[in-house]
Structure formats: C-alpha cells, structure tokens
Amino acid sequence: MEGRPLAERIRAQVGQDVRELGSIGLATVQVGEDEASTIYLRLKHQAASEVEIVSVDRKLPHAISEDELLAEVAALNADDAIDGILVQLPLPDHLDEARVIAAVDPVKDVDGFHPFNAGQLYLGRPTHVPATPRGVMALLAEYRIHLEGARAVVVGRSTIVGKPVAHLLLQSNATVSICHSRTDDLERYTLDADVLVVAAGLPEVVTADMVKSGAAVVDVGINRTENGIVGDVDPDAATHAAFITPVPGGVGPMTIAMLLQNTVRAARYRRGLVSFP
C-alpha cells in the first residue's frame, strides 16, 4: 500500500482548492530547537508552499514562559490571515502541553488535538481529525480494504494515532481491539486481525509470524536505528499480508497531505462554506 501516489493526488486537489478559495494561511509554533521537529516542520512548510498555502513559522526559545507561549497562540487565533495553527509537540517539560493545546482556536486546530475536536470524533461527528489517522483511513479506502464487520486491531493507544484511528475504524463498522505495551500475549490479538494498524513506536514489535495470512497491515512507525529507518512491523510480514505499507513511503507522505487537506477544511469552516458545530 504505497502512500506517495495517493498523497500526490490529494496535494494536487489541495492546490486546486487553494486557488479557488484564495489565500490560505498555516502557522506552526515550535518551542526550542529539537532537530527532528525542525526537519519535520521544514517538510510541512515546503509542502504548503508547493500548494500555495502561505505558511508562517514561529520559532520560540526553549525557555519561553507558559504565559508568553499562550500569548503567541492567542495572537495567531486573532490573526485573520491564519486559517490553521499547529503547535509542534512535544513541548519542553516546563510547559503544560494540555493547556497550550486547549488554547488553540478549535476552528484553526488542524492537528485535531483540541479537546473539542477530540470529543467530536469520540461522538462520531468528526470535525478536525489528526492527520495520520486520516491518512491511514484514506489508504485503506484507496486499496478497497473491506472494513464493515472486519476484525481490526490497533497496536498503540496514543492520542495522536492509536485512539483516533480506533474511533475511525469503529465508525466504519469494524470490530476494534486496542492493544498496547501492557497487553499480554499480543500475538493472540494480531493473528486475529483482518486489518492491523501498528503505531507503537517500537522497532519491528510485530514480527512476521504475528500477522494473519491475507491481512491488511498499516505500519505507522518510523524508528531510527543503526540499520536505518525501520517501521513497527518486520518487513518480512509482507510474506503473510495481502497488503502492507512500506516504511518509508507508506503513511508518512499521507500525514503531510492530510495536514494540508485539514488546512483547507479550516479555511472552509472560517469562511462559512462548511458549518462548524
């Protein structure tokens, strides 16, 4: 299940949407100089530029106070040129991450992390949904993976990927199990999965013999090891799976494409073209 071809089509559609809507603004907020975050944000801004979304990068010092950071977020909330706001996580330990996320205008919350947007997803009325889970679902749809009545297993319970994708699978009428680092006998669950989404953040935690024959496997993991970048699933699982996403080149391109699509959605909400609850 290659992600790049679908991601390119989505980005092309976003470019067309931007031209029809007029100027769209995306602001990112980074606290400190985490190298991985800097690289990831650079990719986001490059992608935004390619579809003519105006991007603003707010780089703030590591020692910034919480009140100062909240003031920066409030200023972006009030800026009419900004349609989407993304606060790069994680934040330094002295900052209350939950409070900062809750300070973002829910209409501009293109990450889908605000409690209101998370609650809407929980209730089955999605507004802004995190980009990676949306990318997972788009890939499953692209490859026509049957979800209704299917046994779906999600390995990982993060609020960024695991929990949101479990809700989306449930809303597609799959029967969903969520596993995690404390799950006893993980293999018992994964071998039962028609659809297996692995977002544990652990290199090759799912081995080939843990995958059901004919399953669709989505590997969300990106782990930097001495042997290079590897996923959360052993690549040899391809010998059992009917469909499997590569790492890299699977979910990664979809995440950025869906972030751009979320920014267009935010612009539509703000212009009253789509009703925001």
Side-chain angles (χ1 to χ4, degrees):
M1 289 192 286
E2 288 280 348
R4 289 192 179 95
L6 177 57
E8 286 301 318
R9 294 208 316 269
I10 291 169
R11 286 162 71 151
Q13 181 61 53
V14 167
Q16 182 177 327
D17 293 339
V18 171
R19 289 187 289 274
E20 290 175 358
L21 289 167
S23 180
I24 293 179
L26 171 65
T28 63
V29 178
Q30 180 184 7
V31 179
E33 294 292 337
D34 179 77
E35 184 180 356
S37 293
T38 299
I39 292 170
Y40 191 34
L41 284 175
R42 187 184 306 131
L43 292 174
K44 291 176 180 178
H45 285 282
Q46 179 181 336
S49 175
E50 288 171 358
V51 295
E52 299 180 52
I53 290 176
V54 178
S55 60
V56 175
D57 190 13
R58 293 277 189 269
K59 290 190 178 298
L60 306 174
H62 182 277
I64 193 171
S65 72
E66 191 167 297
D67 286 343
E68 289 172 322
L69 176 55
L70 291 172
E72 291 281 349
V73 171
L76 292 171
N77 285 340
D79 189 340
D80 200 47
I82 299 299
D83 294 289
I85 300 171
L86 182 159
V87 178
Q88 184 66 28
L89 303 179
L91 293 173
D93 290 342
H94 69 282
L95 300 171
D96 185 339
E97 199 167 273
R99 187 181 178 201
V100 173
I101 290 170
V104 176
D105 182 347
V107 178
K108 295 187 176 187
D109 169 40
V110 292
D111 261 336
F113 296 162
H114 190 282
F116 177 84
N117 290 318
Q120 287 292 100
L121 176 59
Y122 173 84
L123 293 171
R125 300 192 289 266
T127 44
H128 285 307
V129 176
T132 298
R134 287 196 64 225
V136 169
M137 297 303 291
L139 272 174
L140 292 172
E142 173 73 2
Y143 284 87
R144 299 181 181 178
I145 305 303
H146 184 73
L147 295 178
E148 185 163 349
R151 292 183 177 90
V153 172
V154 178
V155 183
R157 55 180 170 179
S158 73
T159 56
I160 295 173
V161 181
K163 290 177 183 175
V165 82
H167 279 292
L168 292 171
L169 288 164
L170 188 62
Q171 289 165 27
S172 294
N173 297 319
T175 299
V176 182
S177 298
I178 303 177
C179 301
H180 46 78
S181 60
R182 304 295 178 87
T183 298
D184 288 331
D185 195 6
L186 178 61
E187 182 177 359
R188 179 164 65 89
Y189 293 90
T190 60
L191 280 172
D192 195 42
D194 303 308
V195 178
L196 179 61
V197 179
V198 188
L202 297 170
E204 299 179 359
V205 66
V206 172
T207 56
D209 59 357
M210 296 169 67
V211 174
K212 178 180 179 179
S213 178
V217 180
V218 181
D219 187 351
V220 181
I222 299 179
N223 306 286
R224 289 171 175 82
T225 70
E226 292 179 356
N227 298 321
I229 294 176
V230 300
D232 289 358
V233 180
D234 183 343
D236 288 344
T239 60
H240 298 277
F243 300 90
I244 189 168
T245 57
V247 176
V251 176
M254 293 299 299
T255 295
I256 292 181
M258 289 303 184
L259 171 66
L260 300 175
Q261 197 175 73
N262 280 355
T263 305
V264 169
R265 181 185 294 261
R268 288 192 170 119
Y269 283 143
R270 296 190 66 242
R271 288 156 177 75
L273 301 173
V274 180
S275 176
F276 190 83

